[in-house]
Amino acid sequence: MSSNIAALADEGRVEIDHVSIRFTSKKGDHLALAETRLQLEPGTFTALIGPSGCGKSTLLNALAGFVEPTAGQIRIDGRPVDGPGPNVGVVFQQYALFPWFTALGNVKFALQRFGLGKTELHERAMAALAEVGLETQADKFPGQLSGGMKQRVGIARTLAYEPKVLLMDEPFGALDAQTRREMHDLLLRVWEKHKATVLFVTHDVDEALLLADHVHVLSRAPGRIIRSYDLSASRPRAISRDFPDLLDTREEILALLKPEPAEDRGDVASVS
Amino acid sequence: MSSNIAALADEGRVEIDHVSIRFTSKKGDHLALAETRLQLEPGTFTALIGPSGCGKSTLLNALAGFVEPTAGQIRIDGRPVDGPGPNVGVVFQQYALFPWFTALGNVKFALQRFGLGKTELHERAMAALAEVGLETQADKFPGQLSGGMKQRVGIARTLAYEPKVLLMDEPFGALDAQTRREMHDLLLRVWEKHKATVLFVTHDVDEALLLADHVHVLSRAPGRIIRSYDLSASRPRAISRDFPDLLDTREEILALLKPEPAEDRGDVASVS
Amino acid sequence: MVDIRETSAAGGASSRRVVPRLPALVAGVMGSVASPLISFVIVLAIWSLVSALKVVPDAIFPSPWSVASAFAEMMENGVFFSDLGISVSRAATGFVIGASLGVAMGVLTGRVAVIRTVLNPFMTLLRPIPAIALVPVAIVWFGIGEGSKYFVISYTVFLTVWFNTHHGMEYIPDIYLRASQSLGASRLREFFQVVIPAAAPHIFAGIRLGVALAFLSLVAAELSGASSGIGYRLQESRQYIRTDRMFALLIELGVLGAIVDTIVHRIGKRIVHWQQS
Amino acid sequence: MVDIRETSAAGGASSRRVVPRLPALVAGVMGSVASPLISFVIVLAIWSLVSALKVVPDAIFPSPWSVASAFAEMMENGVFFSDLGISVSRAATGFVIGASLGVAMGVLTGRVAVIRTVLNPFMTLLRPIPAIALVPVAIVWFGIGEGSKYFVISYTVFLTVWFNTHHGMEYIPDIYLRASQSLGASRLREFFQVVIPAAAPHIFAGIRLGVALAFLSLVAAELSGASSGIGYRLQESRQYIRTDRMFALLIELGVLGAIVDTIVHRIGKRIVHWQQS
Amino acid sequence: ADTVNFAWTPNPQTPQVDVALAKGYFEDAGIDLNIVSFPSGREGFEALLGGQVDFAFMAEFPAVTGALTGQDFGVVADLARFTGSRIIGSAEYGQFETPADLEGLQIGTTLGTNVDYYLSEVLSGADVQAEVINASPVDLVSSLVRGDIQAAVMFPTFYANAKSTLGDNYRELRAPGYQVHFIIAASGDAIENKQEMMEVFLGALAKADADVKADPKAAMEAVAANMKGAMDVAAVETMWQDVDVGMELDDDLLNLLVSEGKWIVSKGVIKADEPTTESMRAYIVDAPLKAVAPSAVDLN
Ligand SMILES: Nc1ncnc2c1ncn2[C@@H]1O[C@H](COP(=O)(O)OP(=O)(O)OP(=O)(O)O)[C@@H](O)[C@H]1O
Ligand SMILES: Nc1ncnc2c1ncn2[C@@H]1O[C@H](COP(=O)(O)OP(=O)(O)OP(=O)(O)O)[C@@H](O)[C@H]1O
Ligand SMILES: [Mg+2]
Ligand SMILES: [Mg+2]
C-alpha cells in the first residue's frame, strides 16, 4: 500500500518497564496488574495468554495510552506513552465502532490519514471490508450487524490504518472457526507486509501458537508473566505432528493455566 | 434446590414451527433466518453452530420472545411465545448485567422469585457466584469487572434462576480455556440436576461435541439447518480416541463449515 | 428534556416492543393518528363541562365556544396572522442567535479547559436568573425596538442550548475518543467526525428545548416596546379583560410550539438516526 | 440539561482523561477550588471597568460598589433574610409538588399506553405556554394567597420533570427489560429494580432542571399577590428604578440557584453512581 | 370579626387608607382587614373579579373596561384625583411648551391604560400627529434616556425618577384634559350580600378622610411610613401639590367613565355598545357611601 511508515524495520519498539497498575475505589485498592517487564522488538508478533481477570486488557489499555500505569513506564521507540496516539493501533474488545458511520464509513475514517482521492478512498475501504468478508454489508450501520460482523469491521478498520504497533484484545472471540481461520491468514498477511509490532491477547492457546513469535503466560490475578516461549517454527503452522515443538509447548501452557494439581479430567482436547 | 418446577420431565418442550425472520429497513428487506423447523424435547441439550451472521442470535432472540418471527410460530409446551417470560432463561451475548447492582445484586435479582429469607437469599447468591469463581468479586459493579467476569456473573445469574428452557448465546466466548472448562462442568451439573431444555449457540465445534445431545449446523446467511447430529456418547466426554464417534462428527462439521472446496491449508488443528 | 435513545440490541421492524404489557387491541386502536384526536376530544369535553357548570364566571374561565369565536374574530380582523408572523419571526431570530451562540459556547466550555474554568461558574450563576427579570436591563442595553426582544429570547435559548451542548461534549464515551485518537485522527477530524456526532443527541435535545423556550419567552419579550405579536396581544387582552381572547392566544401559542417542536424532533431523529437502529 | 454519563470502558482512578488535550500545567493550576474564584475576579473586573467608563448612567447600569451597598442595605433592614426565607419556602413547596407530580405522571405516560395516548398531546400543547401567561388564571383558580404561587412554580417544574421522566421511561434499553422479564421479575419488581434505576439518570436530569426552574419561576409567581420574597422585591425595585437593588437581587437569585443546583447534582451523582464507574 | 380582603399597595395617593390603618379604625369597626399587594391596580381588579378580594384600590380606567365587558362589580368611592398629569420629554428633542411641540415625535406610553387615554386626548385635542410606542411602565424612563423615544407619558409614580434620571434635560408639558381618579371598587358579592360590611369599611375610610383634611401633615407621615423609605415626607408633600385628596362620588367621575368608555370602544378590542351615562351610572354604587357620608355623594 502507499504508506510505508510501518515498513521501517526499526520502528515500533515497545518497552514495558516495571509497570504495575492499581485501581482505587471507595472500597480500597485493587492491584490489576503486578509488576511487569517486557520488551517487544520491532516487527515481532507477541501473544499474551492468561486467566480471566488477570489484567490483560488493563495492560493493553496502558500500552494504548488509555490508562496510566501506577508505577513504571511504557515507552514506544524510546518516547514515553502519555496518551493515545497514531503510532499504536488498537482492535478493541468491545469493537468501538462509530455508530453514526456505516461499516464502510468506519473503515474510511481510518484511511483518511493517507489523504487519498475520493474514488481511491472508497475503493481501498471496500477492499478492506472485502478482506474480512463484509463487502455486502458495507452500507449497514453497526446496530444492524451481528456480533462477529462488528468485530470484523473493527479489525478491517485497524488493519487498514497500518499502525506501527498493533494491539489486539481477543479480536477473534466472537468469530466462528472458519471465519477465524480466514482472519488469521489476513492478519499474518498484513503483518508480514508491514512488519508491525503486534501484541495479541487471546484465550485460545492454539491461536497463540499458530500466530505468534513469542507467547507470554500470565498468572492468576494480579497478573504477572510466569512463563515465556519463543516460537521459531515457520508459518503457516498447524497444531499437528508436523510441529512437535508446538505440541509440547501447548501441553506446557495448558498445564500452567490449570490452577489445581493437574488432575486429568479428560475433558481437554487431549491430542494423542 | 428448593424449586422443582424444572424437574418435571415433561416440561420445556420447544417447537420451532416453520419460522423465518426478516429485518426491514429503508434499504429493503434482509432475510436473517431462512425457514427453520426444529423441536427440542424436554431436558435435552442442543447446540447450534454456524458461520458469523447466519442468524443464530436472531433465532435465540425469537425463542426468548424478544423478536417476532416474520413467518411461522414458536411454541413452548404448546403455548405460542408472545414475549419474554419466566419459563425461558437467557444468557446474553452482551451479558446484560444491571449496572446499578453489584455482581451479588445481579444474582440476587434472579433468586428473588424463590421467596427466600434474607440470609438464605444472600447465601444462595454467594454460592452461585462461588460456582463461577467470583466469590471475591461479589461487591464490584459491572463497570469494574473484566469481560470474562461479566460473562460469568451473567451465567451465574441465569443458572441460579433455574429456568425450564435455557438459551445461551456464546456464553463462554470471553473465557480462557481453563475457566471455560470449569463452566462446562458447572453447566452440565446444573443441567443434569434440573433437566432444563438447553439451546446453546457456540462457534467452538469441540465445545458443542463435549456438551450437547444434538448438534445442528446452520448454513451461511440466511441461515437454515443443513445438518443435524445426535450424540449418544456418555458424559464426561473428551475429544480423543476414547470417543471415535465424536472425532468423526468433528471432522464432518468442520468440513461443512468450510465454504470453499476443502483445500487443506494445514492451519486447522487437524488431529491425526 | 432528554431524548437520548439507547441503541437497542435487536431493533429492526419485527422487534417486539417490550415496554407496554397491554392488551394489544387497545394499543392497536389508539394508533398514532387517532391519539391526539382522542386526547383533544376528552380535554374539550371536560372543558365544556366545567364551563357549563358555571363555577367561575365566563369572563374568567371562558367556554370553548366563546374562545372559538374570539379566535374567529382575530382571524377576521387580520390580527391573527400579523401577530403570528411577527412573533414567529421574533422567536426564530432569537432562537437562531441563542442556539448558535449556545452550541458554539458549549463546544468551547465542553472541550477547552481554560474557557470552561473561566466561564462555567458564571454561567451556572446566570441559569437561575429568569428572562423576565432581565427585560428592563435588556431595554437599557438594546433599546425598546426588536433588539431587546431578540436579547430576551436568545438569552433563554442560549443558556439551555449551552448547558446541553456542554454536557454532551463533556460526557462523550471515552471509547470513541480512544478509537479516534488511536486511528490518528487530527483534532479537527476528531471534532467533526467523532465529538460532534457523539454529542449530537444531546445537542439536539438542547435545541429542541431551545425551540420550546423561544416560544415560552416570547411573552416576556413582548412585554415592552411591542404593539403587535402574540405576547403583546396577550397583554392587551388582559388589559381589556378579554379572557376568551387570552385563552385563544394561549392555545395558539401551544399549538404553534407543539408544531415546531414536532418538526424539530422529526428532523433530529433523521439526523441522529443511528440512535434508534 | 442532560447529564447522562456513559459508562466509560476503563474508569478507575488512573484512567487517563482523554478529553482536554491541554498543557497539563495550566489545567493543574486551575483546579476546582480556584476555578470559580478566577471566573468571578474576571467578571468583576470587566463589570467595574464598564461601569467606570460611564457609558450608561449608574442608575441604569450600577457599579459593583453600589450593588454591594444595596446588598448591605437589604441585609441591614432584615429584608434580605425574610425575603430569602419566604422565597425559598415557596420554591421548595412548588418544586416538591411539581416534581412529585411530574415523576408520577412521567411514569404513567412513559409506561401505560392508554394514559400516554390520552395525555401526551395535551402535555405537548401545554409546554409552550409560559407560566407568566398563566398568572391571572392562577389567581382566579388558586387565590391570591400562596396557592397561586405554588401553582405557577409547580406548573413549570411539573412540565419539565414530566418530560424528562417520560423520555427516560420510554427509552430504557430493551436489553434490561429483556433480562428482567426473562428472569421472571414481577411487574412490580421490574418497575422498582429495573425501570426506575435505568431511568434514574434521566429523572435526575429532569429534577435538576426542575430545581433551576423553581427559582426561575419565582419571579413570575411573586408578580401578583405577594408582598415579600425575592421576586416581589425585584418588582418593587423595578417600580422605583432601584437598579442597584435589582442587580443585587438578581445576583442573590443566581447564587441561590447555583448552590441548590450543586447540591442536587451532588446528590444525584451519589445516587446514580454506577453511571460513572 | 369578618375578614375583609383588600387589594391595596402603599402609594402616596390614598392617605385615607394609611391613616385608617395607623389609627386602627378598621379594628375599631370590627373589621379584620387583610391587605393583599399587587403591582398594579389592574391586577388587584382582576383578583376582585375572580372573587379573591372584596375591595380593590385602583385607577378608574380598569373599571371602565370592566363595565364595558359586563363584569360584576361596582365603584363605591373616589378617594383622590391626580391633577398633575404631564408629558415628559428630554430637552434634546425639544422644549415641550405646547402640545404642538409633540408633532412627529415618538412618544412612549403603556398601551391600554389611562396614560394612553390621556395622551390620545392631548394629541387629538391639539390635532397633533405623533408615533405612539408601547412600553411597560418601568421601561419608559430608560427608553427616554436611550433616545428610543423622545417623550413619554407615564404613571405618576415614575415622575420623580424621570426627573432625577434626566437631570437638566428634564422637560414637562402639563397639558390639561385628564385627571386620574383613585377609586375603590367592590366585588359583586360584597354589593349584593354584604351591605353592612361595606358601610363599616367605608365608614372607617370616611373617618380617616376627615382626619386627612384636618391634619395633612400627619397624613403625609402615615403615607411615608407605609412607603418604607421609598418616599419621604417631603416627597409626599411635593406630590400632593398635584393631588386633590377627598372621598367623594360625583358627576366628574361618571363623565370621565363615559368618555373613556367611548375611547376604548373606538379602539375595537372590546365588542361592546357605545357607553352612555345611564349604562355607566349602573356601575357606581353610591348607597353605602351615602349612608356613611351623605355630603360626599353628588350624582344626579
Ligand atoms: N475500571 C475498573 N475499576 C476497578 N477495577 C477494575 C476496572 N477495570 C478492571 N478492573 C479490575 O482489574 C482486573 C483486571 O481486569 P482486566 O479487564 O484487565 O482483565 P482481563 O485479563 O482482560 O480479563 P478477561 O480475560 O476476562 O477480559 C479485574 O480484577 C477487574 O475487576
Ligand atoms: N437489528 C437489525 N437490523 C437489521 N439487520 C439485522 C439486525 N440484527 C441482525 N441483523 C442481520 O441479521 C443477520 C443475522 O444476525 P445475527 O446477529 O443473528 O447473526 P449471528 O448468527 O448471531 O452472528 P454472530 O455469530 O456473528 O453473532 C445479519 O446479517 C445481521 O446483519
Ligand atoms: Mg479483557
Ligand atoms: Mg450472534
Side-chain angles (χ1 to χ4, degrees):
Chain A
M1 305 194 191
S2 61
S3 157
N4 54 5
I5 295 175
L8 299 167
D10 56 338
E11 282 202 326
R13 169 172 285 105
V14 179
E15 290 159 288
I16 300 165
D17 187 1
H18 294 86
V19 164
S20 66
I21 297 171
R22 187 178 284 283
F23 287 102
T24 40
S25 73
K26 269 174 290 175
K27 292 192 185 108
D29 276 18
H30 178 88
L31 188 62
L33 184 77
E35 197 176 287
T36 298
R37 285 178 62 184
L38 192 59
Q39 180 145 345
L40 310 182
E41 294 303 322
T44 56
F45 195 125
T46 308
L48 274 187
I49 202 159
S52 169
C54 73
K56 303 179 295 295
S57 297
T58 305
L59 175 60
L60 239 67
N61 281 335
L63 283 170
F66 303 147
V67 168
E68 210 177 337
T70 314
Q73 199 184 43
I74 295 170
R75 286 183 298 275
I76 291 182
D77 291 331
R79 268 194 308 277
V81 170
D82 65 348
N87 294 337
V88 182
V90 183
V91 175
F92 293 84
Q93 196 172 6
Q94 323 87 321
Y95 321 142
L97 302 181
F98 301 122
W100 46 88
F101 288 140
T102 58
L104 186 68
N106 269 282
V107 178
K108 276 185 178 169
F109 183 90
L111 284 169
Q112 276 176 354
R113 74 157 178 156
F114 299 121
L116 309 170
K118 219 180 145 183
T119 338
E120 208 190 334
L121 183 68
H122 182 87
E123 274 165 16
R124 288 262 305 259
M126 282 305 284
L129 277 181
E131 292 225 77
V132 296
L134 290 178
E135 61 274 45
T136 58
Q137 316 287 322
D139 290 334
K140 281 196 178 156
F141 286 91
Q144 303 172 316
L145 296 172
S146 80
M149 290 169 170
K150 276 185 247 191
Q151 201 165 50
R152 281 182 278 160
V153 175
I155 293 166
R157 186 175 69 171
T158 305
L159 292 187
Y161 175 73
E162 300 172 9
K164 281 194 301 189
V165 177
L166 181 55
L167 307 176
M168 307 179 93
D169 196 352
E170 301 181 36
F172 307 138
L175 299 180
D176 59 293
Q178 176 58 30
T179 314
R180 193 181 264 242
R181 249 174 280 132
E182 288 161 15
M183 292 301 113
H184 288 172
D185 290 352
L186 171 65
L187 177 58
L188 288 179
R189 249 183 1 254
V190 172
W191 170 66
E192 272 162 9
K193 198 152 166 193
H194 301 287
K195 279 293 169 209
T197 311
V198 177
L199 186 63
F200 189 96
V201 168
T202 180
H203 283 130
D204 187 333
V205 181
D206 292 7
E207 189 169 77
L209 296 175
L210 287 175
L211 298 174
D213 296 320
H214 309 281
V215 177
H216 301 285
V217 181
L218 274 80
S219 69
R220 300 239 131 207
R224 56 194 172 76
I225 295 173
I226 49 173
R227 194 80 65 86
S228 300
Y229 298 90
D230 295 329
L231 309 177
S232 50
S234 68
R235 296 181 183 85
R237 301 174 185 161
I239 307 293
S240 73
R241 287 214 196 109
D242 299 345
F243 295 87
D245 292 1
L246 292 185
L247 282 179
D248 292 348
T249 313
R250 183 173 187 270
E251 292 296 314
E252 267 189 65
I253 295 179
L254 285 173
L256 268 176
L257 290 172
K258 245 190 212 160
E260 311 97 321
E263 40 154 332
D264 203 290
R265 282 183 303 179
D267 52 359
V268 193
S270 44
V271 182
S272 60
Chain B
M1 303 194 190
S2 62
S3 157
N4 54 6
I5 295 177
L8 299 167
D10 55 339
E11 282 200 328
R13 170 172 285 105
V14 179
E15 289 159 289
I16 300 165
D17 186 1
H18 295 88
V19 165
S20 68
I21 297 172
R22 186 178 285 283
F23 287 101
T24 41
S25 74
K26 269 175 287 174
K27 291 191 185 113
D29 277 17
H30 178 85
L31 187 62
L33 184 76
E35 195 174 290
T36 298
R37 284 177 63 182
L38 191 60
Q39 181 145 345
L40 311 182
E41 294 303 321
T44 57
F45 195 127
T46 309
L48 274 187
I49 202 160
S52 170
C54 73
K56 303 178 296 294
S57 298
T58 304
L59 176 60
L60 239 66
N61 280 336
L63 282 170
F66 302 148
V67 168
E68 209 178 338
T70 314
Q73 199 184 44
I74 295 170
R75 286 183 297 275
I76 290 182
D77 291 332
R79 268 194 306 276
V81 170
D82 64 347
N87 295 335
V88 182
V90 184
V91 175
F92 294 85
Q93 195 170 8
Q94 323 89 321
Y95 321 142
L97 301 182
F98 301 121
W100 47 88
F101 288 138
T102 58
L104 186 68
N106 270 281
V107 178
K108 277 187 180 168
F109 183 90
L111 284 170
Q112 276 177 353
R113 73 159 180 154
F114 299 122
L116 310 169
K118 218 180 146 182
T119 340
E120 209 190 334
L121 183 69
H122 181 86
E123 275 166 13
R124 288 263 305 259
M126 281 306 285
L129 278 180
E131 291 225 76
V132 296
L134 290 177
E135 62 274 42
T136 56
Q137 316 288 322
D139 290 333
K140 280 197 179 154
F141 286 92
Q144 301 171 318
L145 296 172
S146 80
M149 290 170 170
K150 277 185 244 188
Q151 200 165 51
R152 281 182 280 161
V153 175
I155 293 166
R157 185 175 71 170
T158 305
L159 292 186
Y161 174 72
E162 302 173 9
K164 283 195 300 189
V165 177
L166 181 56
L167 307 176
M168 308 179 90
D169 196 352
E170 301 180 36
F172 307 138
L175 300 180
D176 60 292
Q178 175 58 31
T179 314
R180 195 182 263 244
R181 249 174 282 131
E182 288 162 16
M183 291 301 113
H184 288 171
D185 290 352
L186 170 64
L187 177 59
L188 287 179
R189 249 184 359 258
V190 171
W191 171 66
E192 270 162 12
K193 198 155 167 195
H194 301 287
K195 278 296 172 207
T197 310
V198 177
L199 186 63
F200 189 96
V201 169
T202 181
H203 282 131
D204 186 334
V205 180
D206 291 7
E207 187 169 77
L209 295 175
L210 286 175
L211 298 173
D213 296 319
H214 310 281
V215 177
H216 301 284
V217 182
L218 275 79
S219 69
R220 301 238 132 207
R224 58 192 171 76
I225 296 174
I226 48 172
R227 195 78 66 89
S228 301
Y229 299 90
D230 295 328
L231 309 177
S232 50
S234 67
R235 297 180 182 87
R237 302 174 184 161
I239 307 294
S240 74
R241 284 212 200 114
D242 300 342
F243 295 87
D245 292 0
L246 293 184
L247 284 178
D248 293 347
T249 313
R250 183 172 185 270
E251 292 296 315
E252 268 188 65
I253 295 177
L254 286 174
L256 268 176
L257 290 173
K258 244 189 214 161
E260 310 98 321
E263 37 153 334
D264 205 290
R265 282 182 306 182
D267 52 0
V268 193
S270 43
V271 182
S272 58
Chain C
M1 320 241 154
V2 181
D3 195 354
I4 311 299
R5 281 124 202 275
E6 314 279 342
T7 306
S8 74
S14 54
S15 170
R16 215 161 228 145
R17 286 296 302 146
V18 197
V19 180
R21 294 203 210 176
L22 259 191
L25 196 75
V26 181
V29 171
M30 299 192 170
S32 65
V33 188
S35 147
L37 240 150
I38 295 171
S39 171
F40 294 137
V41 167
I42 292 174
V43 170
L44 213 67
I46 296 174
W47 182 4
S48 309
L49 201 83
V50 171
S51 73
L53 290 178
K54 293 254 170 261
V55 268
V56 275
D58 195 70
I60 269 159
F61 187 73
S63 72
W65 327 121
S66 61
V67 170
S69 82
F71 206 72
E73 181 195 331
M74 285 191 295
M75 287 283 218
E76 228 165 72
N77 62 24
V79 164
F80 177 83
F81 287 104
S82 65
D83 281 350
L84 189 68
I86 211 136
S87 282
V88 167
S89 95
R90 279 177 188 146
T93 312
F95 168 78
V96 168
I97 298 172
S100 7
L101 288 179
V103 169
M105 180 73 91
V107 166
L108 288 175
T109 58
R111 307 288 300 163
V112 185
V114 185
I115 297 182
R116 173 167 53 244
T117 308
V118 174
L119 284 179
N120 273 26
F122 185 58
M123 302 288 254
T124 310
L125 221 66
L126 277 185
R127 282 185 54 228
I129 298 179
I132 9 167
L134 287 184
V135 170
V137 180
I139 297 226
V140 170
W141 291 349
F142 298 93
I144 208 169
E146 296 301 293
S148 61
K149 294 164 196 68
Y150 297 154
F151 172 77
V152 169
I153 297 173
S154 50
Y155 167 80
T156 331
V157 173
F158 167 76
L159 281 181
T160 298
V161 173
W162 164 75
F163 189 86
N164 273 273
T165 306
H166 176 79
H167 283 286
M169 290 285 153
E170 234 186 4
Y171 299 117
I172 292 172
D174 263 4
I175 188 93
Y176 297 139
L177 297 172
R178 289 174 171 191
S180 158
Q181 292 176 15
S182 289
L183 290 170
S186 64
R187 293 187 64 170
L188 209 71
R189 215 140 67 67
E190 172 182 307
F191 182 74
F192 283 108
Q193 299 188 357
V194 180
V195 170
I196 290 288
H202 294 256
I203 298 178
F204 264 100
I207 284 182
R208 198 177 159 199
L209 260 178
V211 170
L213 283 171
F215 285 96
L216 278 173
S217 45
L218 253 185
V219 177
E222 289 178 349
L223 274 180
S224 259
S227 47
S228 57
I230 301 176
Y232 166 75
R233 202 63 60 197
L234 211 58
Q235 276 299 108
E236 187 193 68
S237 312
R238 195 178 165 190
Q239 302 274 28
Y240 293 111
I241 325 190
R242 286 292 307 272
T243 335
D244 48 348
R245 256 200 193 186
M246 278 185 61
F247 268 65
L249 288 161
L250 288 181
I251 293 174
E252 184 183 344
L253 212 55
V255 171
L256 191 62
I259 290 173
V260 176
D261 182 68
T262 308
I263 294 173
V264 172
H265 183 50
R266 289 269 161 87
I267 295 175
K269 259 165 79 169
R270 280 205 156 232
I271 299 184
V272 196
H273 61 89
W274 64 86
Q275 289 295 115
Q276 293 131 270
S277 65
Chain D
M1 319 242 151
V2 180
D3 195 354
I4 311 297
R5 284 124 200 274
E6 314 278 342
T7 307
S8 74
S14 54
S15 171
R16 213 161 230 144
R17 285 297 302 147
V18 198
V19 180
R21 296 201 209 177
L22 259 190
L25 195 75
V26 181
V29 171
M30 300 195 168
S32 64
V33 189
S35 147
L37 242 149
I38 294 170
S39 171
F40 294 135
V41 167
I42 293 174
V43 170
L44 212 67
I46 296 174
W47 181 6
S48 310
L49 202 82
V50 171
S51 73
L53 289 178
K54 293 255 170 262
V55 266
V56 275
D58 195 68
I60 269 161
F61 187 73
S63 72
W65 327 121
S66 61
V67 170
S69 85
F71 206 72
E73 180 194 327
M74 285 192 292
M75 286 281 220
E76 230 164 70
N77 63 22
V79 164
F80 178 81
F81 288 105
S82 65
D83 281 350
L84 189 68
I86 209 135
S87 281
V88 167
S89 96
R90 277 177 189 148
T93 312
F95 168 77
V96 168
I97 298 173
S100 6
L101 288 179
V103 169
M105 181 73 91
V107 166
L108 288 176
T109 59
R111 305 289 300 163
V112 185
V114 184
I115 297 181
R116 172 166 54 243
T117 308
V118 174
L119 286 179
N120 273 28
F122 184 59
M123 304 288 254
T124 310
L125 221 66
L126 278 184
R127 283 184 53 228
I129 298 179
I132 8 165
L134 287 183
V135 170
V137 182
I139 292 194
V140 172
W141 292 350
F142 296 94
I144 24 142
E146 296 300 293
S148 62
K149 293 163 196 70
Y150 297 155
F151 172 77
V152 169
I153 296 173
S154 48
Y155 166 81
T156 331
V157 172
F158 167 77
L159 281 180
T160 298
V161 173
W162 164 74
F163 189 85
N164 274 274
T165 307
H166 175 79
H167 283 288
M169 290 283 153
E170 236 187 3
Y171 299 118
I172 292 171
D174 264 4
I175 189 92
Y176 296 140
L177 297 173
R178 290 175 171 189
S180 158
Q181 292 176 13
S182 290
L183 290 170
S186 64
R187 293 187 64 170
L188 209 72
R189 214 141 64 68
E190 171 182 308
F191 182 75
F192 283 107
Q193 300 189 355
V194 180
V195 170
I196 291 289
H202 294 256
I203 298 177
F204 265 100
I207 283 181
R208 198 175 159 201
L209 258 180
V211 169
L213 283 173
F215 285 95
L216 278 173
S217 44
L218 253 185
V219 177
E222 291 178 349
L223 272 180
S224 269
S227 47
S228 58
I230 302 176
Y232 166 77
R233 203 64 60 200
L234 209 59
Q235 275 301 107
E236 189 194 64
S237 318
R238 198 178 162 193
Q239 299 273 19
Y240 298 111
I241 324 201
R242 285 290 308 271
T243 338
D244 50 346
R245 255 200 192 187
M246 277 184 60
F247 268 65
L249 288 161
L250 289 181
I251 292 173
E252 184 184 345
L253 212 55
V255 171
L256 192 61
I259 292 173
V260 176
D261 182 68
T262 309
I263 295 173
V264 172
H265 184 49
R266 290 268 161 88
I267 295 175
K269 259 165 79 169
R270 285 208 149 228
I271 298 185
V272 196
H273 61 89
W274 63 87
Q275 290 295 115
Q276 292 130 272
S277 66
Chain E
D2 278 345
T3 299
V4 173
N5 291 309
F6 182 27
W8 181 78
T9 309
N11 75 90
Q13 285 104 350
T14 53
Q16 294 97 331
V17 179
D18 300 274
V19 169
L21 284 173
K23 299 205 173 170
Y25 289 165
F26 294 113
E27 285 103 14
D28 294 351
I31 292 175
D32 175 13
L33 192 68
N34 176 32
I35 289 188
V36 191
S37 167
F38 289 91
S40 71
R42 177 176 305 278
E43 278 153 282
F45 185 50
E46 284 169 1
L48 179 100
L49 297 182
Q52 301 294 333
V53 297
D54 303 299
F55 299 101
F57 147 75
M58 61 205 224
E60 84 295 336
F61 192 86
V64 178
T65 324
L68 290 174
T69 52
Q71 307 294 330
D72 190 13
F73 76 99
V75 177
V76 294
D78 176 2
L79 294 183
R81 274 74 43 206
F82 183 70
T83 55
S85 289
R86 65 198 71 166
I87 293 159
I88 292 170
S90 165
E92 289 178 50
Y93 310 107
Q95 289 309 311
F96 300 97
E97 273 149 5
T98 70
D101 293 343
L102 300 173
E103 182 71 44
L105 297 185
Q106 291 168 305
I107 306 173
T109 192
T110 307
L111 291 186
T113 65
N114 56 350
V115 287
D116 181 15
Y117 168 76
Y118 169 53
L119 176 60
S120 75
E121 287 291 288
V122 170
L123 293 179
S124 66
D127 198 19
V128 163
Q129 302 297 318
E131 187 188 341
V132 177
I133 287 178
N134 182 37
S136 62
V138 285
D139 297 326
L140 285 167
V141 176
S142 39
S143 304
L144 203 51
V145 171
R146 273 181 54 93
D148 293 334
I149 52 177
Q150 291 89 53
V153 188
M154 60 189 75
F155 298 135
T157 5
F158 295 97
Y159 289 171
N161 189 268
K163 194 165 185 171
S164 71
T165 308
L166 286 169
D168 291 342
N169 280 338
Y170 177 82
R171 294 292 180 276
E172 62 177 42
L173 168 61
R174 293 198 176 220
Y178 175 63
Q179 292 185 357
V180 191
H181 287 245
F182 299 101
I183 61 166
I184 288 188
S187 68
D189 175 51
I191 292 166
E192 272 159 43
N193 309 318
K194 303 179 185 168
Q195 267 110 348
E196 194 186 331
M197 180 269 279
M198 294 222 298
E199 284 175 20
V200 173
F201 178 74
L202 288 177
L205 287 179
K207 210 166 149 195
D209 191 47
D211 290 353
V212 174
K213 284 184 179 128
D215 185 358
K217 204 79 194 171
M220 287 174 200
E221 272 158 22
V223 169
N226 274 337
M227 303 274 299
K228 292 207 177 86
M231 263 179 132
D232 58 14
V233 178
V236 176
E237 187 165 12
T238 314
M239 168 141 242
W240 278 18
Q241 291 167 0
D242 294 320
V243 179
D244 166 23
V245 180
M247 187 150 80
E248 58 179 47
L249 276 178
D250 62 13
D251 284 333
D252 268 4
L253 175 65
L254 180 56
N255 293 337
L256 178 61
L257 295 185
V258 175
S259 161
E260 284 180 335
K262 287 181 176 162
W263 178 80
I264 290 173
V265 169
S266 76
K267 294 258 148 191
V269 182
I270 291 177
K271 287 181 295 184
D273 295 330
E274 182 101 332
T276 61
T277 313
E278 289 69 45
S279 69
M280 279 300 171
R281 177 65 181 78
Y283 284 93
I284 300 183
V285 178
D286 56 346
L289 187 61
K290 225 175 209 159
V292 298
S295 62
V297 181
D298 177 20
L299 283 162
N300 49 31

